[in-house]
Amino acid sequence: LSIPSIGVFDSGIGGLTVVKELFASIPHARIVYFGDTARLPYGTKSVATVRRYAEEDTELLLQHNVGLIVVACNTVSAVALDVVERLAGTVPVIGMIEPAAHEAVQVTQSGKIGIIGTQATIASGAYESAIASAAAAAGKTVSTYAQACPLFVPLAEEGWQDHEVARLAAKTYLMSLVEAGIDTLILGCTHYPVLADVIQETVGAKVHLINSGAVAARQVHAAHLAQTVNDADHLFMVSDLPSRFRTLGERFLGRSLPTMHEVVFKEAWILRRSA
Ligand code: DGL
């Protein structure tokens, strides 16, 4: 199909939580999704590697006539958004960080904002910078408390969102944020909306959770790409294990997925450095 579409990519399956929000807000838009299931996770990899993957993922989406790119992966949004923007040229790019940071600054009362994400996202400090800019623009004083929660990713993929292990992991990761007195918590990773209940239970009902994908999806206005599509018009591509993606993906997405396509990136090995 050569109609303009919303290109969405992620390291794998987690980006479907963002697609779920897009389906809810713009049901008539055609989605071209790529999940890099052969190379996930991104959140534990180096900045250089994630930047290279982001470049290749963007090239794939651009081959499919996308009119807008949503970088569903928080890790890519944190360390490689500029790479995507450079390649995309005039195609607009929406990342996960800036919209969520802006929303957090708007909703916080105490000015204490928690941030959770992968190791790479937290190490990048991208949320802190975006929050500082948003706070300066709003004339607000805020402080941030960041915590990497790497075990949340496999817990969500395992379907253990309601399991004792998830409760224990949430308590261990989030206690220091609770003690710091946060009133707002950014779910800065594609998988965390799946664990929203256990996270909310752990931090208490008064803490406002911000789903970065949902906030970013609100920036994709219907005017961008109004189309009428059938379910079969969407294009879902992965780089490995399409049937596992379907099984897990239908849980993340909350509905059935169309035919899955497996794509292969043909790369050549070159020596980068020796240590
Ligand atoms: N999609 C990643 C993110 O949002 C989480 C999974 C991964 O580490 O690849 O940061």
Side-chain angles (χ1 to χ4, degrees), residues 58-238:
T58 306
E59 275 165 5
L60 174 62
L61 290 185
L62 290 170
Q63 283 176 11
H64 291 276
N65 189 33
V66 293
L68 172 75
I69 294 179
V70 178
V71 182
C73 182
N74 277 260
T75 303
V76 173
S77 301
V79 305
L81 196 67
D82 60 309
V83 171
V84 181
E85 285 171 339
R86 178 173 46 76
L87 276 172
T90 55
V91 174
V93 175
I94 295 179
M96 295 293 113
I97 311 288
E98 202 274 326
H102 186 262
E103 174 94 350
V105 168
Q106 295 304 308
V107 302
T108 184
Q109 299 283 329
S110 68
K112 294 184 176 180
I113 300 171
I115 306 154
I116 53 175
T118 63
Q119 282 149 327
T121 297
I122 297 306
S124 75
Y127 269 111
E128 286 89 332
S129 315
I131 288 170
S133 308
K140 270 185 148 175
T141 307
V142 298
S143 28
T144 50
Y145 304 85
Q147 175 67 50
C149 307
L151 289 179
F152 281 178
V153 168
L155 284 170
E157 293 195 357
E158 195 64 22
W160 281 17
Q161 62 267 34
D162 199 23
H163 194 287
E164 211 40 51
V165 175
R167 254 174 230 110
L168 191 58
K171 202 169 152 207
T172 310
Y173 283 140
L174 304 174
M175 245 341 131
S176 62
L177 303 186
V178 173
E179 281 161 10
I182 59 160
D183 73 345
T184 304
L185 178 62
I186 297 178
L187 307 182
C189 174
T190 48
H191 286 58
Y192 298 177
V194 176
L195 298 169
D197 287 349
V198 67
I199 293 171
Q200 188 81 70
E201 183 187 305
T202 308
V203 295
K206 290 206 182 93
V207 174
H208 188 105
L209 300 190
I210 294 184
N211 175 343
S212 55
V215 180
R218 291 210 298 268
Q219 302 220 329
V220 183
H221 301 297
H224 269 132
L225 308 135
Q227 296 294 340
T228 305
V229 292
N230 300 313
D231 258 17
D233 291 335
H234 302 300
L235 174 62
F236 281 83
M237 296 174 283
V238 290

Side-chain angles (χ1 to χ4, degrees), residues 1-49:
L1 275 180
S2 61
I3 54 173
S5 315
I6 302 180
V8 183
F9 77 92
D10 177 48
S11 54
I13 200 151
L16 292 179
T17 61
V18 183
V19 172
K20 183 178 177 185
E21 302 296 336
L22 290 169
F23 277 156
S25 53
I26 326 174
H28 51 272
R30 177 177 181 247
I31 302 290
V32 174
Y33 184 89
F34 175 58
D36 196 4
T37 46
R39 304 191 289 192
L40 65 79
Y42 283 10
T44 51
K45 296 204 165 70
S46 69
V47 169
T49 295

Side-chain angles (χ1 to χ4, degrees), residues 251-263:
R251 176 150 46 79
F252 274 57
L253 192 60
R255 59 184 264 184
S256 61
L257 279 158
T259 308
M260 207 57 63
H261 303 276
E262 189 172 341
V263 292

